[in-house]
């Protein structure tokens, strides 16, 4: 029977079934808590509550249009917005910093268990940054690169080197707008200083720094995180797997990895595949071990190892409610503090692993030191020991699971389009120029308990491929598509418009490309940059027919991502609003004025079909400017085209 009531809150039947089970088991979830929070504070939602100093909190109303210090609605909204961008930038960048430190340790032999897995990616990155690599030992190159990356955090006077990976014209835009970031740490500290009581009061100056800070994320910390992940763990290549709660095994030990940083999930993947550990599971009466992911850790190990995805953000509690999870291992970001409370109703053990991210009720274990694989094996064995505590009467694993193909790093796309020896975006650019593909859209971000989970992103994805738009996805949006079957190439191809389908079939890529975790949104910028460098679609990111969408976003990280897309010249559609509406000038700048500085701005569109129409109009406008909006040639790809494409 369909769980009609629950299907108002979530899109997939597996989640609906678990919501029903939660009710039966008397387990509270984020959906109930969202109801309990229903009348959320209107001052908070419009961004005009200030508690930056202890004369406040001050709230702006028609009768009290200024805070005690005299700050008006625009100052307060802009300060709050800047601090949200700081939160998002810090999350991605600290993630990146941990990986750089790990790269340095791996290069100097101080991190046994980790090594440089992708020397090609290392040498490519070294050349990008001007680090001598020819005829040098990989560890020496890695050490120099790691030191260079650490300077990206600490640089006080110069600007970020990573900015230089952008097209020249875009760098000129940043120069003119005065938003080129110094080192990441400096930019973040300065943002906190400027937004404290009695410092920066001009909303325009504050917003300018919000964009500067976001660039330190997308063209700094996040980009570095993706580069170093590829070096340490391998550049993703297309891989088949499965998604949704049905990936959990009825008679296997189920271990979920949840969070963001790939260092931990990599060693757990190795530990769970160890023959002795597998034997240990059999001796405990299980048929094996199922390792699966939640949120962006899921995306990291899916992209590199094909490890199945149990679910996205709003499914983290629902996965435990199956009653079949022996252990959930969490690291950083997007892990709800409610997890131990939910787990207390079952036998699931929650294990936190990052010293910067502890949760009351979780067991804290550090998987590092001299032998991380050994401690990961101990953790897996602990989960196996917990298998006997599974209560069969509480188990209900939904059957739903969808096959998928993921793993589309920029390198992989290039290879698929042009082959390893002359990998190139040429066939894609040509298809856009010939109007077989209208343009490219990045659909990114989370899901949000205030919206019907995954609905907006799924409707929009289907609508866009139908209208010949190539869709790039990351994060929980990509998992939503996986659950909806849209990462099955044959399913997506059947729904794609004719032009898009012909191109995808000819070059062998699906119409919806899963590019990684939320930190990997920098890969979307990298792809757009490759399109510019390939030629024929203008000389700046702003001229490429491309749009970004954050349909169901909830995290500060999404705000930082949105800002670095806009600062990069790519319009961004938001499916739910920023908390800035109380500062009219702030709202107007973000949703209009920014276009004068960057050639792009935000657009709030809360309906997916309206968003699809708006996106098509935006892409057509960009196509008009490029002079490529001729009618599509109705020529089918023949064998000569296929050969030319490869
Ligand atoms: Fe109120 Fe100004 Fe203090 Fe904010 S900084 S709490 S507006 S007095
Ligand atoms: S996990 S930031 S809910 S995408 Fe990256 Fe998903 Fe958003 Fe977290």
């Amino acid at each position: 029977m369909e769980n009609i009531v629950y299907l108002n809150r979530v899109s997939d039947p597996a989640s609906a079934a678990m919501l029903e089970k939660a009710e039966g088991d008397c387990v509270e979830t984020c959906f109930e808590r969202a109801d309990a929070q229903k009348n959320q504070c209107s001052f908070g939602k419009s961004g005009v509550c200030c508690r930056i100093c202890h004369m406040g909190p001050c709230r702006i109303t028609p009768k009290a249009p200024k805070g005690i210090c005299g700050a008006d609605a625009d100052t307060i909204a802009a300060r709050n917005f800047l601090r949200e961008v700081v939160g998002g930038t810090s999350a991605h960048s600290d993630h990146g910093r941990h990986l750089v430190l790990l790269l340095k340790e791996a290069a100097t032999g101080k991190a046994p268990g980790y090594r440089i897995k992708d020397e090609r990616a290392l040498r490519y990155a070294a050349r990008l940054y001007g680090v001598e690599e020819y005829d040098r030992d990989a560890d020496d190159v890695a050490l120099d690169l790691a030191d260079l990356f650490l300077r990206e955090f600490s640089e006080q006077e110069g600007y970020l080197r990573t900015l230089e990976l952008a097209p020249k014209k875009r760098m000129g835009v940043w120069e003119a707008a005065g938003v080129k970031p110094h080192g990441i740490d400096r930019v973040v500290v300065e943002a906190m200083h400027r937004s404290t009581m009695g410092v920066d009061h001009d909303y325009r100056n504050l917003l300018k720094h919000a964009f500067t800070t976001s660039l330190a994320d997308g063209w700094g910390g996040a980009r570095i995180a993706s580069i170093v992940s590829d070096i340490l763990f391998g550049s993703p290549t297309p891989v088949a797997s499965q998604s949704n709660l049905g990936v959990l095994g009825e008679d296997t030990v189920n271990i979920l990895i949840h969070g963001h940083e790939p260092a931990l999930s990599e060693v757990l993947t190795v530990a769970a595949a160890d023959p002795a550990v597998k034997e240990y599971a059999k001796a405990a009466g299980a048929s094996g071990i199922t390792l699966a992911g939640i949120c962006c850790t899921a995306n990291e190990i899916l992209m590199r190892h094909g490890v199945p995805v149990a679910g996205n953000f709003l499914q983290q509690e629902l996965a435990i409610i199956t009653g079949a999870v022996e252990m959930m291992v969490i690291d950083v970001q997007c892990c709800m503090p409610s997890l131990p409370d939910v787990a207390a109703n079952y036998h699931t053990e929650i294990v936190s692993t990052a010293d910067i991210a502890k949760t009351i009720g979780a067991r804290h274990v550090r998987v590092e030191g001299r032998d991380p694989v050994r401690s990961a094996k101990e953790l897996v064995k602990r989960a196996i020991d917990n298998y006997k505590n599974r209560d069969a009467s509480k188990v209900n694993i939904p059957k739903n699971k969808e096959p998928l193909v993921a793993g589309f790093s920029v390198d992989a796309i290039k290879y698929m389009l042009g082959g390893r020896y002359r990998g190139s975006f040429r066939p894609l650019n040509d298809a856009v120029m010939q109007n077989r593909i209208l343009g490219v859209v990045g659909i990114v971000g989370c899901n949000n308990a205030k919206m019907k989970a995954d609905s907006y992103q799924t409707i929009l994805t289907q609508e866009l491929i139908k209208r010949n738009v190539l869709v790039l996805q990351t994060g929980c949006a990509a998992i939503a598509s996986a659950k909806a079957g849209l990462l099955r190439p044959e399913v997506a191809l059947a729904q794609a418009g004719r032009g898009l389908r012909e191109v995808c079939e000819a070059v062998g890529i699906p119409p919806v490309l899963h590019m990684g975790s939320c930190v990997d949104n920098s890969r979307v910028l990298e792809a757009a940059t490759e399109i510019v460098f390939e030629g024929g679609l203008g000389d700046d990111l702003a001229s490429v027919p491309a749009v970004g969408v954050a349909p169901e976003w909830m995290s500060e990280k999404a705000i930082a991502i949105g800002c670095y897309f806009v600062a990069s010249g790519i319009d961004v559609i938001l499916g739910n609003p920023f908390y800035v509406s109380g500062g009219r000038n702030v709202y107007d700048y973000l949703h209009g004025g920014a276009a004068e500085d960057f050639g792009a701005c935000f657009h709030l569109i809360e309906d997916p079909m309206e968003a699809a129409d708006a996106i098509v109009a935006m892409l057509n406008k960009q196509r008009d400017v490029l002079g490529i909006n001729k009618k599509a040639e109705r020529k089918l790809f023949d064998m000569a085209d296929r050969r030319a494409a490869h």
Side-chain angles (χ1 to χ4, degrees):
M1 196 182 76
E2 291 261 290
N3 305 281
I4 303 293
V5 180
Y6 305 101
L7 281 169
N8 289 332
R9 306 300 296 265
V10 292
S11 299
D12 69 281
S15 295
M18 287 307 97
L19 277 181
E20 187 177 22
K21 182 171 187 292
E23 198 169 319
D25 291 356
C26 297
V27 178
E28 184 189 84
T29 67
C30 62
F31 296 92
E32 269 182 277
R33 293 191 295 274
D35 290 342
Q37 294 283 343
K38 205 148 212 142
N39 296 316
Q40 287 176 316
C41 171
S42 59
F43 296 101
K45 285 206 289 190
S46 55
V48 291
C49 172
C50 182
R51 49 183 295 280
I52 276 171
C53 91
H54 280 236
M55 291 195 285
C58 297
R59 303 179 308 178
I60 298 303
T61 67
K63 279 192 182 155
K66 293 200 170 161
I68 294 172
C69 67
D72 65 11
D74 283 322
T75 301
I76 293 172
R79 281 197 300 223
N80 289 339
F81 186 77
L82 171 57
R83 286 191 169 200
E84 288 187 289
V85 174
V86 165
T89 298
S90 302
H92 288 148
S93 300
D94 207 31
H95 170 160
R97 185 210 315 274
H98 289 157
L99 289 168
V100 174
L101 290 170
L102 184 60
L103 177 65
K104 188 166 180 172
E105 285 175 1
T108 49
K110 291 186 188 140
Y114 296 100
R115 62 186 177 83
I116 290 152
K117 196 163 175 190
D118 192 339
E119 195 173 321
R120 188 169 163 268
L122 168 73
R123 292 187 184 280
Y124 178 71
R127 289 194 297 276
L128 274 184
Y129 283 87
V131 171
E132 183 59 56
E133 59 85 22
Y134 182 72
D135 218 14
R136 287 184 77 202
D137 182 73
D139 284 339
D140 293 339
V141 177
L143 188 56
D144 284 355
L145 194 61
D147 283 336
L148 185 150
F149 284 151
L150 288 177
R151 287 197 294 279
E152 292 288 79
F153 289 86
S154 61
E155 179 62 57
Q156 300 299 312
E157 292 162 304
Y159 296 107
L160 285 185
R161 292 279 306 276
T162 307
L163 296 177
E164 294 165 24
L165 304 183
K168 275 222 156 39
K169 192 162 180 186
R170 189 50 31 184
M171 288 196 280
V173 170
W174 295 332
E175 182 83 54
V179 295
K180 281 169 66 183
H182 298 290
I184 299 158
D185 293 352
R186 176 182 160 173
V187 166
V188 165
V189 170
E190 186 180 313
M192 292 306 285
H193 175 200
R194 287 168 65 162
S195 56
T196 199
M197 195 269 167
V199 185
D200 201 355
H201 301 134
D202 182 337
Y203 75 90
R204 295 165 301 188
N205 213 33
L206 286 158
L207 292 179
K208 191 164 107 177
H209 196 62
F211 283 104
T212 306
T213 307
S214 76
L215 286 173
D217 179 1
W219 294 91
R223 182 72 177 267
I224 291 169
S226 298
I227 292 172
V228 177
S229 295
D230 289 352
I231 294 170
L232 280 171
F233 310 122
S235 301
T237 51
V239 63
S241 189
Q242 293 184 314
S243 70
N244 216 341
L245 297 172
V247 305
L248 297 173
E250 293 280 354
D251 57 1
T252 61
V253 174
N254 293 313
I255 303 173
L256 292 178
I257 323 180
H258 174 22
H260 281 79
E261 291 192 1
L264 166 75
S265 47
E266 284 286 326
V267 287
L268 277 169
T269 309
V270 173
D274 183 84
V277 174
K278 285 184 176 170
E279 273 312 309
Y280 192 76
K282 290 211 171 115
S287 67
I289 301 167
T290 298
L291 191 68
I294 297 273
C295 275
C296 283
T297 289
N299 289 324
E300 296 281 359
I301 46 177
L302 164 69
M303 298 271 287
R304 297 196 175 86
H305 302 285
V307 170
V309 179
N312 53 4
F313 176 66
L314 289 176
Q315 288 179 292
Q316 56 186 285
E317 295 175 315
L318 305 181
I320 297 171
I321 289 165
T322 61
V325 176
E326 275 57 54
M327 183 179 280
M328 181 183 275
V329 184
I330 59 177
D331 53 61
V332 293
Q333 301 168 25
C334 302
C335 304
M336 292 188 187
S338 63
L339 293 174
D341 294 339
V342 177
N345 295 279
Y346 307 94
H347 70 303
T348 309
E349 184 171 41
I350 308 293
V351 175
S352 60
T353 52
D355 285 352
I356 62 163
K358 294 189 178 177
T359 297
I360 301 284
R363 180 186 181 82
H364 193 67
V365 176
R366 296 180 79 186
V367 184
E368 49 187 41
R370 298 304 301 170
D371 195 348
V373 175
R374 192 169 64 89
S375 45
K377 280 184 196 165
E378 278 163 16
L379 209 51
V380 175
K381 282 185 175 174
R382 190 176 166 85
I384 294 169
D385 291 340
N386 196 20
Y387 181 67
K388 63 177 179 302
N389 298 321
R390 189 189 288 187
D391 179 348
S393 70
K394 289 189 176 177
V395 173
N396 178 4
I397 304 174
K399 296 276 170 279
N400 314 69
K401 56 179 167 184
E402 276 293 328
L404 65 92
V405 176
F408 294 94
S409 59
V410 171
D411 199 41
I413 297 173
K414 243 176 156 176
Y415 170 61
M416 297 189 80
L417 290 172
R420 176 159 295 274
Y421 294 105
R422 48 191 185 97
S424 146
F425 270 60
R426 193 71 253 153
L428 178 62
N429 283 33
D430 286 345
V432 173
M433 291 165 72
Q434 293 157 0
N435 208 2
R436 290 174 178 179
I437 293 179
L438 190 63
V440 181
V441 167
I443 300 183
V444 309
C446 331
N447 45 22
N448 184 326
K450 295 200 289 192
M451 303 169 80
K452 178 176 171 180
D454 304 332
S455 172
Y456 189 130
Q457 35 214 7
T458 304
I459 293 171
L460 181 63
T461 302
Q462 287 171 318
E463 198 55 34
L464 289 178
I465 57 174
K466 202 190 290 175
R467 300 189 196 189
N468 293 315
V469 174
L470 180 69
V471 175
L472 312 180
Q473 291 190 327
T474 60
C476 290
I479 300 176
S481 278
K483 289 189 291 173
L486 291 166
L487 298 190
R488 282 171 73 176
E490 68 279 17
V491 171
L493 278 170
Q495 296 184 37
R498 185 169 164 183
L500 177 64
R501 194 175 64 238
E502 284 172 10
V503 174
C504 288
E505 282 172 347
V507 298
I509 56 167
V512 184
L513 299 172
H514 185 336
M515 296 188 77
S517 64
C518 46
V519 87
D520 288 329
N521 281 309
S522 60
R523 294 191 200 273
V524 178
L525 291 184
E526 190 188 350
T529 305
E530 289 285 346
I531 291 172
V532 173
F533 289 161
E534 190 57 53
L537 293 173
D539 54 358
D540 181 20
L541 295 168
S543 56
V544 176
V547 175
V549 194
E552 301 173 35
W553 70 278
M554 63 85 202
S555 168
E556 289 173 330
K557 289 181 282 176
I559 303 181
I561 293 163
C563 284
Y564 72 63
F565 268 53
V566 164
S568 300
I570 299 173
D571 278 293
V572 171
I573 290 177
L574 303 169
N576 57 0
F578 289 143
Y579 293 153
V580 295
S581 60
R584 204 60 231 175
N585 287 314
V586 172
Y587 183 95
D588 289 347
Y589 179 77
L590 292 172
H591 298 82
E596 282 168 32
D597 290 327
F598 304 118
C601 65
F602 290 100
H603 309 261
L604 173 62
I605 305 178
E606 295 178 83
D607 176 82
M609 295 304 281
E610 275 177 38
D613 290 343
I615 288 167
V616 168
M618 287 173 184
L619 295 176
N620 273 322
K621 202 168 149 201
Q622 286 169 302
R623 300 180 59 84
D624 284 339
V625 173
L626 287 168
I628 55 169
N629 228 354
K630 294 163 279 181
K631 208 161 166 38
E633 296 167 41
R634 287 266 45 93
K635 174 178 171 283
L636 289 170
F637 263 60
D638 56 20
M639 277 316 289
D641 289 322
R642 281 165 204 264
R643 272 194 296 273
H646 283 279

